Amino acid sequence: MKKWLLLSMALYSANVLALPRENPVPGGIVHIPIAPLSDPAPIVQYAGNRVTVVPQDSQWLAIIGIPLDTEGDTQNVNVQGQEPIAFPIQPKQYKTQRITIKDKNKVEPDDESTQRILREQMLQQQLKTRFSVGEAQLDFIKPVPGRDTGRFGLKRFINNQPRNPHSGMDIAAATGTPVKATTAGKVIHTDDFFFSGNTVYLDHGAGVISMYAHLSEIQVETGDIVQQGDIIGKVGSTGRATGPHLHWSVYLNGEAVDPALFLSNKK
Ligand SMILES: [Zn+2]
């Protein structure tokens, strides 16, 4: 490719970021123009959490994650120093998935396990709602190649008992398959959790967080800086899993959103 063409593409891309696709449903994403780029970057909040804001064309654009349990059709986003902005969402019925887990304690945890689960849920809540200053990285790749076996949002029955809806994408892959960072970021936590097993959390800036679960091996440490495609661990079946796969979650303003929305413009 000629040099001048590369240069003009670079200039063109300055304010045209790769963005996740919009889908105004529970578990989806909404884009809301907030202010002209000539204004300082606005501070935006939704449902009590800070919202990712990116420069796009000539505007500051809020990229809002809609909680899976949202009810009603009109939502409000708060902008510091402005009136709230109302926006519509549509209902969505997610399908039901039935799973059988052999380890009974992973389905009906004993008291000791319950205490551990509560501690881990508090920590995970802090990790997914983390908002660090800086530019958001939103140009994602799929962390492992493979078939999506558990789609985001499925209503789950585990051993016939209702459980939380599925908060990520499950990708089938053999144990040991390298797991790649979906985009550049910082490792903010690694752990062995009761449900998600060996888990890595990455912070991609300004409220964009990704999480990788059930790993057989973790190959990064808290504080590491990773580039897109860097290997962070290996596929496994640790925690509550029916078999080897990667569970991949993406959080915007602390809410799990459908990771597929970040990949829909990719091959
Ligand atoms: Zn999963």
Side-chain angles (χ1 to χ4, degrees):
M1 201 181 287
K2 293 236 165 56
K3 249 183 191 162
W4 62 266
L5 185 54
L6 280 170
L7 181 66
S8 63
M9 281 173 69
L11 288 171
Y12 178 70
S13 66
N15 281 326
V16 184
L17 302 173
L19 295 178
R21 191 162 57 86
E22 273 195 283
N23 190 17
V25 298
I29 294 171
V30 173
H31 301 172
I32 308 264
I34 301 290
L37 265 191
S38 51
D39 286 5
I43 293 176
V44 179
Q45 287 202 321
Y46 170 71
N49 290 324
R50 185 94 180 255
V51 168
T52 303
V53 176
V54 297
Q56 181 74 353
D57 300 326
S58 58
Q59 307 185 89
W60 291 109
L61 193 66
I63 312 293
I64 305 172
I66 308 300
L68 257 173
D69 60 1
T70 302
E71 287 176 3
D73 48 11
T74 301
Q75 302 292 306
N76 284 291
V77 63
N78 293 305
V79 185
Q80 202 171 76
Q82 283 188 37
E83 291 292 307
I85 300 171
F87 62 94
I89 61 163
Q90 292 146 22
K92 174 163 181 169
Q93 287 302 318
Y94 287 98
K95 288 188 178 139
T96 296
Q97 183 184 40
R98 290 178 184 276
I99 299 173
T100 303
I101 299 280
K102 288 196 184 108
D103 180 354
K104 256 192 85 186
N105 194 46
K106 294 280 186 218
V107 187
E108 290 169 86
D110 58 27
D111 286 352
E112 195 188 328
S113 302
T114 303
Q115 292 303 314
R116 178 180 165 193
I117 292 162
L118 291 173
R119 280 197 307 275
E120 291 180 356
Q121 282 173 345
M122 280 172 65
L123 172 59
Q124 288 176 304
Q125 182 63 20
Q126 286 169 6
L127 292 166
K128 63 194 189 188
T129 54
R130 186 176 155 121
F131 191 98
S132 52
V133 279
E135 223 170 275
Q137 302 294 322
L138 292 163
D139 185 13
F140 283 15
I141 58 168
K142 203 170 179 181
V144 297
R147 197 164 50 89
D148 303 352
T149 52
R151 293 200 174 269
F152 175 85
L154 291 172
K155 291 179 193 160
R156 283 191 151 173
F157 287 82
I158 301 179
N159 300 3
N160 285 323
Q161 299 187 43
R163 288 293 180 265
N164 285 337
H166 190 227
S167 60
M169 175 191 282
D170 287 345
I171 308 168
T175 300
T177 305
V179 175
K180 295 172 179 170
T182 188
T183 190
K186 184 177 181 178
V187 180
I188 52 168
H189 196 77
T190 69
D191 218 322
D192 175 13
F193 288 125
F194 185 82
F195 287 129
S196 51
N198 289 325
T199 301
V200 173
Y201 276 87
L202 300 182
D203 180 350
H204 307 293
V208 182
I209 307 287
S210 65
M211 180 266 226
Y212 309 79
H214 309 308
L215 305 175
S216 57
E217 208 178 303
I218 293 173
Q219 291 170 290
V220 286
E221 286 177 18
T222 302
D224 285 355
I225 302 295
V226 294
Q227 301 305 318
Q228 183 176 62
D230 282 357
I231 309 297
I232 57 171
K234 290 178 178 167
V235 170
S237 53
T238 55
R240 186 181 67 191
T242 50
H245 71 281
L246 177 71
H247 170 102
W248 174 42
S249 284
V250 179
Y251 301 96
L252 292 176
N253 49 274
E255 302 297 342
V257 293
D258 186 356
L261 295 172
F262 291 80
L263 302 176
S264 47
N265 50 358
K266 307 278 162 63
K267 291 264 156 58

